[in-house]
Amino acid sequence: MRQDRKQVLAFDFGASSGRAILASLEDGKIVMEEVHRFSNDPVFIGNTMYWDTLRQFFEIKQGMLKAKQKGGFESVGIDTWGVDFGLLDEHGALLESAVHYRDDRTLGRQEEVFKVMPKDELYELTGVQFENFNTVFQLYSLVQDRPWLLERADKLLLTPDLFNYFLTGEKKAEYTMSTTTQLMDIRNKEWSDKILNRLSIPRKLFPEIILSGTVVGTIDQKICDELGIAPAKVVAVASHDTQSAVAAVPTQEDDFIFISCGTWSLFGTELKSPVIGKESYELNVSNEGGYGGTYNFLKNIIGLWLAQESRRQWAREGKDYSFGELEQLARKAEPFLSFIDPDSPEFNSAGDIPGRIRAFCERTGQKVPQTQGDIMCCINQSLALKYRYTLEQIEACTGKQFPMINMIGGGIQSGLLCQMTASASKRKVLAGPVEATALGNIAVQMMSLGEIKNLKEARRIIADSEQTYEYLPKDGQKWDTAYEKFKSIIQK
């Protein structure tokens, strides 16, 4: 990389691994180099599933050390999954490692919360899709089961905000992450005192909300001395990984539809104001914050978790397939034999996903998939049909029609899924970039540093920097027939 260009360091945390990526802007294109990769494994202690928060911060330091060897960096930005948090005491010490969103502590909490605050009232204030793991339900479990922990706590910081605090000593809440909590008044972009008071959650826990791109501070001098680095700026990027990915959609259109495709599939569109009404409530569509104070009207769909966990199950059985091998098996399988609802509750937790898929198909009177190829074909075509189903919901709620789907993220490495999505939805699919989340993180840092003027320019630069692929619909009548069968199954 040319050293006359400002380099930025992006940390992108996923559910199973994390990366540090060093980037600069050269000849109108973003050039990236992965300098550090690490596993991000949950830790079970007793009956609780934790994140290894301190190890995660150790890996951030390792990434900064390696970036120093590549010429250093002007700024750091961190994005992660949503909803999870750490609690600090009055002295700023972490009370315990963050609990994983897949932990069982939230089971049944939605029903408990709705007795105190009706479901429709909670949605009207927050505009957020109801998920068992949302921060509001995690916190209500503490109100009910561990109130002493909330009494000891002085501040709550969502995961990337917590790391920003470890780096700078500043306690701030970045906007896009804050919207994932289902505790924010989505219209006013403020914490909802009504929700907090009703659920007996202490208001003092919640710091000031800041917009994406805000410089939180500079790296603490003690860390600089420890690592031998310069005091770089710490930028609160669009730190919810979905919103970093959306910032990298390579479009110049104001109206577009996207699928951020990975462990989860986030399907939605970027809007200037939230959509909150009877239809969006009944369809359980979410309004989550995006870069520039925008709103991403989207649905969370269980995505390639189904394939990832199936692969893990087969590995436990002594059959170690690569994802490429599984895709080839799926291509050879007979299509349209059986379908699942990817969001059916039995697919949420880790374990024998292939066995659960077979049980779902048997329960719904379908042909039961037997081979690994059958299972993978079922997963891919079910995801593609769920995308069409969700597209129709988004179009109905917004009153807009979208002629093309932008697919971004690691999931687009499956050409089979991209083609099935185009065919099922009867829309052209533009797939790319794979590294959308990292690119969005990088672009927000560069906008903060003045290297890129605005989001429109950032998206143009990303389009120039990354290769994209087109997929056109095929076999329309077959997919229409499959869709009718799919709807009859998931609407039972």
Side-chain angles (χ1 to χ4, degrees):
M1 291 185 182
R2 289 168 51 189
Q3 298 308 305
D4 59 338
R5 295 291 185 179
K6 291 180 180 177
Q7 295 192 141
V8 302
L9 183 60
F11 286 92
D12 175 25
F13 279 82
S16 60
S17 66
R19 302 170 303 154
I21 296 174
L22 195 61
S24 65
L25 189 61
E26 300 183 22
D27 301 322
K29 296 182 179 181
I30 294 174
V31 180
M32 301 186 294
E33 179 183 2
E34 183 180 295
V35 296
H36 185 49
R37 179 178 284 267
F38 50 92
S39 65
N40 183 28
D41 303 304
V43 179
F44 285 91
I45 301 177
N47 294 321
T48 302
M49 186 178 186
Y50 291 98
W51 293 109
D52 195 347
T53 304
L54 300 183
R55 182 74 192 186
Q56 290 166 343
F57 190 62
F58 170 83
E59 299 292 359
I60 289 174
K61 287 183 175 181
Q62 294 306 298
M64 292 193 295
L65 273 173
K66 292 180 181 179
K68 178 184 72 169
Q69 297 165 9
K70 299 284 186 177
F73 46 94
E74 296 281 334
S75 65
V76 175
I78 301 169
D79 67 75
T80 76
W81 60 94
V83 308
D84 290 340
F85 58 88
L87 293 170
L88 304 175
D89 69 14
E90 61 184 1
H91 304 293
L94 185 66
L95 289 173
E96 66 176 12
S97 282
V99 176
H100 198 293
Y101 63 86
R102 291 192 188 277
D103 184 72
D104 288 343
R105 68 177 176 170
T106 56
L107 295 179
R109 299 299 178 181
Q110 289 197 56
E111 293 72 20
E112 294 176 9
V113 166
F114 298 153
K115 291 176 183 177
V116 181
M117 186 163 209
K119 184 177 180 181
D120 58 350
E121 187 178 356
L122 187 57
Y123 183 81
E124 173 63 27
L125 283 166
T126 66
V128 172
Q129 179 178 352
F130 291 97
E131 297 279 11
N132 210 44
F133 48 68
N134 288 352
T135 313
V136 63
F137 305 119
Q138 294 195 43
L139 280 172
Y140 198 66
S141 77
L142 296 182
V143 169
Q144 296 298 304
D145 300 338
R146 304 177 72 197
W148 57 266
L149 185 61
L150 292 181
E151 291 168 7
R152 286 189 60 194
D154 180 65
K155 282 291 177 287
L156 177 152
L157 293 175
L158 293 155
T159 304
D161 300 322
L162 182 64
F163 294 145
N164 290 344
Y165 162 70
F166 289 162
L167 288 172
T168 67
E170 297 292 331
K171 302 169 188 172
K172 304 292 182 183
E174 189 272 326
Y175 166 65
T176 70
M177 281 296 293
S178 300
T179 62
T180 72
T181 63
Q182 208 163 30
L183 289 164
M184 202 182 92
D185 183 324
I186 193 68
R187 295 181 180 87
N188 297 322
K189 297 183 172 71
E190 297 175 349
W191 299 115
S192 172
D193 289 334
K194 180 180 287 189
I195 297 172
L196 297 174
N197 290 337
R198 194 83 64 86
L199 300 180
S200 302
I201 299 170
R203 177 63 178 83
K204 68 172 185 175
L205 295 177
F206 297 89
E208 173 193 4
I209 296 172
I210 58 175
L211 286 177
S212 314
T214 302
V215 176
V216 178
T218 56
I219 297 175
D220 185 86
Q221 191 59 49
K222 289 181 181 178
I223 295 175
C224 292
D225 293 342
E226 174 192 350
L227 303 179
I229 60 174
K233 294 177 180 178
V234 177
V235 179
V237 295
S239 54
H240 182 206
D241 52 10
T242 299
Q243 309 313 330
S244 275
V246 174
V249 174
T251 183
Q252 294 295 290
E253 301 295 328
D254 291 330
D255 289 327
F256 61 91
I257 201 90
F258 64 84
I259 307 175
S260 180
C261 187
T263 301
W264 290 88
S265 290
L266 295 306
F267 193 120
T269 185
E270 186 177 81
L271 301 173
K272 300 299 183 186
S273 57
V275 175
I276 300 175
K278 184 174 184 293
E279 190 166 28
S280 65
Y281 167 69
E282 291 177 348
L283 295 174
N284 198 25
V285 189
S286 200
N287 294 269
E288 295 184 4
Y291 178 78
T294 57
Y295 300 87
N296 286 308
F297 187 62
L298 58 81
K299 287 277 285 188
N300 289 313
I301 303 166
I302 289 181
L304 293 176
W305 160 259
L306 297 166
Q308 294 161 354
E309 197 60 21
S310 293
R311 179 171 174 257
R312 279 188 279 268
Q313 177 62 29
W314 291 321
R316 287 191 286 268
E317 296 170 1
K319 303 164 189 171
D320 196 5
Y321 295 102
S322 70
F323 284 115
E325 289 171 332
L326 290 174
E327 178 164 331
Q328 290 306 310
L329 291 173
R331 288 181 182 276
K332 294 175 182 177
E334 186 176 350
F336 308 130
L337 292 181
S338 51
F339 309 96
I340 60 168
D341 181 354
D343 294 312
S344 191
E346 63 260 46
F347 302 128
N348 281 329
S349 58
D352 184 7
I353 292 296
R356 295 174 202 167
I357 288 174
R358 293 186 182 102
F360 182 99
C361 292
E362 184 173 14
R363 187 176 75 248
T364 51
Q366 302 180 79
K367 185 170 181 178
V368 177
Q370 297 298 324
T371 68
Q372 286 82 14
D374 291 340
I375 293 289
M376 290 301 298
C377 184
C378 177
I379 289 171
N380 279 280
Q381 63 193 15
S382 297
L383 281 173
L385 291 165
K386 190 63 181 278
Y387 294 159
R388 174 171 171 175
Y389 188 71
T390 306
L391 174 63
E392 292 178 356
Q393 294 179 335
I394 298 290
E395 289 184 334
C397 289
T398 61
K400 297 180 179 182
Q401 297 293 311
F402 301 96
M404 184 179 79
I405 298 173
N406 289 276
M407 288 184 73
I408 55 177
I412 67 168
Q413 294 173 92
S414 170
L416 177 64
L417 180 58
C418 293
Q419 182 58 62
M420 284 186 169
T421 300
S423 298
S425 64
K426 305 172 84 168
R427 302 288 198 281
K428 180 173 80 172
V429 164
L430 185 67
V434 172
E435 298 288 359
T437 304
L439 282 162
N441 180 322
I442 290 160
V444 172
Q445 290 188 67
M446 288 182 172
M447 285 187 279
S448 181
L449 295 176
E451 291 282 279
I452 296 176
K453 286 189 294 188
N454 53 39
L455 184 58
K456 191 159 192 170
E457 182 179 75
R459 285 174 168 158
R460 179 185 58 74
I461 290 170
I462 289 168
D464 292 341
S465 304
E466 297 292 312
Q467 190 167 6
T468 55
Y469 301 88
E470 273 192 11
Y471 296 85
L472 300 176
K474 297 178 181 178
D475 302 321
Q477 185 58 54
K478 291 179 181 179
W479 280 97
D480 284 344
T481 301
Y483 185 53
E484 293 306 313
K485 181 180 178 182
F486 174 79
K487 286 194 295 183
S488 71
I489 290 165
I490 70 170
Q491 291 174 349
K492 283 182 180 179

